[in-house]
Amino acid sequence: IQPTTVRGTVLNSWKVVWVVLADDAIEYYKKKTDNSPKGMIPLKGATLTSPCQDFTKRTLVFKISTAKNQDHFFQATHLEERELWVKDFKRAITCLQGGKKFARKSTRRSIRLPENVNLSELYVLMKDQDNGVKELKVEKDKRLFNHCFTGNTVIDWLISEGKARNRPEGLMLATGLLNEGFLLPAGDVSKDGAEKGAECVFLDQTEALYYFADSGFFCEGYSSDEDVIMKEEFRGAIIKQGCLLKQGHRRKNWKVRKFILRDDPAYIHYYDPTKGEDDPLGSIHLRGSVVTAVEYVPDAKRQEVDGNLFEIITSDEIHYYLQAATADERNDWIKAIQSVAKTGK
């Protein structure tokens, strides 16, 4: 289940939708919280084309052609995500061709995972910044993998934390995390293991790379079909997001903007909250910036804005004035931005 971009069949426009792979169809929703799908694409007799080169100005596109020769186009946010979608869609189509229904979540039965094992809790522990599995930058085959870790590191961690008694037991848990989508394969070795059979196989190897599903993972220097991987500044993990008042640079008026703070690279993007997160209104590179609480803003009238103000001064001395709703919220933003500005690239 993921948000992705789909091309409409009537107006030929692209819209962000929430996509769900069911056992015999693709359902897509306007929002994740919607109860009924906006549309459904039957997979029986369908074919998949990836990469799809029908659109010269769009990358990471793949196409589903139904048995009735209707074409549906999807665009992923990054290369790894597209490959994961394509893998599962192909499996579903293959299952239907053999007269079976695609059932992705059969992990407990297939690997005999004990009922008392909570994979969600295990995943949270693995992601702990102090005691969890450490994310690394790994250079391999002229590619740089960011925010990833090796297969044997995961098994080592499971044993050291008392979650597994031995390596076979650790391998069972790691395979469960992989099949449930908590861990994802990065690089050719781990992907080959994940695609061998009906169920993904986790590899206890130094050559096999993996990453957390909601991390800031990205790979540089690699493209299977000359796709442009997501713009550098959007690759970082999201540290904090929320709405703030921002002063405009030209008219000096104040408007509510949604801000998303990312780390490695250190950027904060701001958006019109009424128009979604497809196109930011602007971005602030935070590396080397200074952020401080302020009592007033030059060129601002006291009755326009008062209290909970702070200022970001970038390394090239551009000033941004923002206002939080409460003093605590201002402090939280300042701490988060200061941390990212010091550690992010």
Side-chain angles (χ1 to χ4, degrees):
I1 304 175
Q2 286 285 351
T4 189
T5 313
V6 64
R7 182 172 182 262
T9 54
V10 180
L11 300 176
N12 290 332
S13 58
W14 291 83
K15 294 184 181 297
V16 175
V17 293
W18 189 261
V19 176
V20 176
L21 175 56
D23 50 11
D24 59 356
I26 300 168
E27 299 173 348
Y28 55 94
Y29 299 74
K30 189 174 181 180
K31 298 193 300 288
K32 180 182 177 181
T33 53
D34 288 351
N35 293 321
S36 55
K38 189 177 179 181
M40 186 183 74
I41 304 169
L43 289 176
K44 188 173 183 180
T47 58
L48 188 149
T49 303
S50 178
C52 174
Q53 307 289 3
D54 291 25
F55 305 94
T56 55
K57 293 184 178 181
R58 282 190 176 264
T59 60
L60 305 171
V61 174
F62 59 95
K63 177 173 69 174
I64 301 285
S65 302
T66 67
K68 294 184 178 181
N69 295 320
Q70 292 179 324
D71 292 336
H72 300 268
F73 300 92
F74 293 86
Q75 182 183 31
T77 58
H78 57 277
L79 187 62
E80 297 289 331
E81 183 191 56
R82 187 190 65 185
E83 291 180 354
L84 289 169
W85 273 117
V86 167
K87 180 185 72 174
D88 277 349
F89 284 165
K90 282 182 176 179
R91 284 181 177 177
I93 292 170
T94 301
C95 285
L96 291 168
Q97 286 174 346
K100 301 176 182 179
K101 285 190 175 182
F102 178 68
R104 189 171 186 270
K105 299 226 170 189
S106 57
T107 302
R108 290 189 180 275
R109 278 199 312 275
S110 62
I111 63 173
R112 298 178 182 177
L113 196 66
E115 290 297 325
N116 63 341
V117 172
N118 188 320
L119 292 176
S120 297
E121 289 182 2
L122 187 58
Y123 178 66
V124 171
L125 293 173
M126 289 181 73
K127 287 200 68 189
D128 184 85
Q129 289 189 345
D130 296 321
N131 302 311
V133 176
K134 304 302 179 187
E135 294 177 284
L136 306 169
K137 288 185 179 180
V138 179
E139 190 170 353
K140 185 177 176 58
D141 299 330
K142 296 182 180 180
R143 300 182 235 169
L144 182 64
F145 296 90
N146 295 264
H147 298 283
C148 70
F149 39 83
T150 62
N152 69 311
T153 300
V154 173
I155 308 302
D156 289 343
W157 181 88
L158 289 167
I159 295 172
S160 67
E161 294 294 315
K163 306 301 177 185
R165 292 170 294 181
N166 48 49
R167 300 197 84 80
E169 198 170 279
L171 198 58
M172 178 186 67
L173 291 174
T175 299
L177 290 162
L178 184 66
N179 276 280
E180 292 294 309
F182 292 110
L183 302 181
L184 298 173
D188 297 334
V189 174
S190 56
K191 286 178 183 177
D192 287 344
E195 295 174 3
K196 279 183 178 177
E199 292 296 327
C200 298
V201 177
F202 190 91
L203 301 178
D204 179 10
Q205 299 176 14
T206 56
E207 297 296 309
L209 303 178
Y210 299 90
Y211 64 99
F212 295 125
D214 55 355
S215 74
F217 171 82
F218 65 97
C219 172
E220 295 176 288
Y222 166 70
S223 174
S224 61
D225 59 333
E226 298 182 353
D227 276 333
V228 179
I229 303 176
M230 186 179 292
K231 194 175 179 182
E232 167 75 13
E233 63 191 59
F234 292 98
R235 291 173 174 168
I238 293 176
I239 304 300
K240 185 173 175 61
Q241 57 183 311
C243 289
L244 298 165
L245 270 174
K246 175 186 174 294
Q247 186 191 50
H249 275 107
R250 294 180 181 176
R251 297 182 182 178
K252 305 299 181 183
N253 54 347
W254 292 80
K255 291 186 178 180
V256 176
R257 297 295 182 226
K258 180 174 182 180
F259 285 80
I260 298 181
L261 174 65
R262 291 180 170 89
D263 187 15
D264 194 20
Y267 275 89
I268 188 167
H269 297 85
Y270 51 94
Y271 305 78
D272 182 339
T274 65
K275 295 182 180 179
E277 298 170 13
D278 293 337
D279 299 304
L281 298 173
S283 65
I284 306 170
H285 191 192
L286 296 172
R287 180 66 187 267
S289 66
V290 176
V291 55
T292 54
V294 295
E295 296 304 319
Y296 71 96
V297 173
D299 304 321
K301 297 177 182 178
R302 177 68 65 175
Q303 63 267 25
E304 282 184 339
V305 59
D306 187 22
N308 307 319
L309 298 163
F310 62 101
E311 176 187 21
I312 299 173
I313 306 174
T314 66
S315 58
D316 49 2
E317 297 192 2
I318 299 174
H319 295 242
Y320 295 87
Y321 294 101
L322 308 167
Q323 184 189 39
T326 66
D328 287 343
E329 186 181 342
R330 176 177 70 172
N331 291 338
D332 288 344
W333 273 107
I334 289 175
K335 288 178 182 177
I337 294 171
Q338 285 176 338
S339 176
V340 167
K342 288 178 183 177
T343 60
K345 67 180 180 181

